[in-house]
Amino acid sequence: MKCNADDINAWQNVDYLVSAFHRTAFYSEYPAQGVPLRKWQSPVKIYIDSRVGFKDIQLQLVTAQAEELAEITGHPVTITKEKSEANVVIVFAHSTKIPNVIVENGSGVPLLNVAAKSLCFFQIKVSRLDWVIQEAAIYIPPDTARAVARLPGCVAEEMAQIMGLTNDDDQLFPTVFNDESVFDELTPLDKTLLKVLYNDKLKPGMGWEQSKGVVEEIIQHLLTNTKK
């Protein structure tokens, strides 16, 4: 089901939202494949590894996004000044330096291949025992992101994706989870998908067939309450 700019509110129906949630939460962009539901169980603690100028702006963007994610999901998302306390690292570095940082962090060739074709990108580490997200990293090059007016959009998209909505889909609109996105902040559609993901009825490791009925129920409830 496709939605476009001709009807910016067309996403507000159960079928569209169920499809959007399936596409974003049960698929992985890196590599492109189907996966079980993944989400955090422990508090998200973010360390900002700034290796380029404008650190104050980076801190403001990340802090604002962390606060918004916490409010939307009801899950703790905070900033820490100590890298040793963090389970998420957001790297701001010049585009030419990011491959070196990836190697430094031990992420290897697959992520280097992603870096070669992506403006900004993320990586999550998931327990294969219970599919709980344990760690994440985000890489953002302010030089190229600012050149195309995408720095705020990169922060919004990548921080939302490490919460468990890991796939982009060009059929979705209006959303940051789209490579053609023009949005600098989370849209009402994005916020709805995050609320669905962090509903307590959905557990890490659930497959789509197991989750579909629950997802429909949650979405119907959200839409009904929104319309009141």
Side-chain angles (χ1 to χ4, degrees):
M1 182 178 294
K2 187 175 182 179
C3 196
N4 56 52
D6 293 334
D7 187 354
I8 199 167
N9 295 314
W11 63 271
Q12 295 180 23
N13 70 78
V14 174
D15 289 343
Y16 187 83
L17 283 166
V18 169
S19 176
F21 187 77
H22 181 207
R23 295 180 188 190
T24 54
F26 287 87
Y27 286 88
S28 177
E29 190 174 5
Y30 313 124
Q33 61 183 24
V35 290
L37 192 77
R38 296 148 303 157
K39 59 197 286 190
W40 292 88
Q41 297 291 275
S42 58
V44 177
K45 299 180 180 180
I46 300 168
Y47 175 77
I48 301 172
D49 182 1
S50 180
R51 305 188 180 205
V52 70
F54 303 101
K55 293 182 180 181
D56 289 346
I57 292 175
Q58 295 158 22
L59 176 61
Q60 290 172 11
L61 288 171
V62 173
T63 300
Q65 195 60 48
E67 291 173 351
E68 183 173 36
L69 287 171
E71 181 179 358
I72 294 167
T73 63
H75 190 80
V77 183
T78 58
I79 311 298
T80 177
K81 293 182 179 180
E82 300 297 329
K83 190 174 183 179
S84 60
E85 297 177 356
N87 47 23
V88 175
V89 175
I90 301 181
V91 177
F92 290 92
H94 194 277
S95 55
T96 60
K97 302 296 183 182
I98 282 183
N100 294 335
V101 182
I102 291 173
V103 173
E104 175 187 317
N105 290 344
S107 296
V109 173
L111 198 59
L112 286 172
N113 291 336
V114 172
K117 57 185 180 181
S118 301
L119 175 61
C120 45
F121 51 97
F122 70 95
Q123 183 179 46
I124 60 173
K125 179 180 178 181
V126 180
S127 167
R128 291 305 178 96
L129 294 176
D130 55 14
W131 295 95
V132 170
I133 302 175
Q134 298 176 319
E135 298 176 5
I138 293 172
Y139 297 87
I140 299 175
D143 57 316
T144 50
R146 288 170 68 92
V148 293
R150 286 288 295 145
L151 182 58
C154 273
V155 173
E157 178 184 359
E158 305 308 319
M159 288 184 66
Q161 291 200 291
I162 65 162
M163 297 301 290
L165 298 176
T166 55
N167 193 41
D168 281 343
D169 192 311
D170 291 346
Q171 300 296 306
L172 299 182
F173 182 89
T175 179
V176 297
F177 306 126
N178 182 326
D179 288 335
E180 303 301 321
S181 174
V182 296
F183 299 100
D184 288 334
E185 56 188 26
L186 298 180
T187 69
L189 169 58
D190 300 328
K191 295 174 184 179
T192 300
L193 297 178
L194 285 164
K195 287 178 182 178
V196 175
L197 178 62
Y198 278 84
N199 188 288
D200 290 339
K201 294 179 180 179
L202 290 175
K203 308 296 182 184
M206 293 174 69
W208 175 240
E209 291 305 317
Q210 181 185 7
S211 306
K212 185 177 180 181
V214 180
V215 170
E216 290 175 346
E217 178 186 331
I218 294 168
I219 288 172
Q220 184 65 65
H221 178 75
L222 286 173
L223 288 178
T224 300
N225 286 347
T226 299
K227 293 174 182 177
K228 288 182 178 179

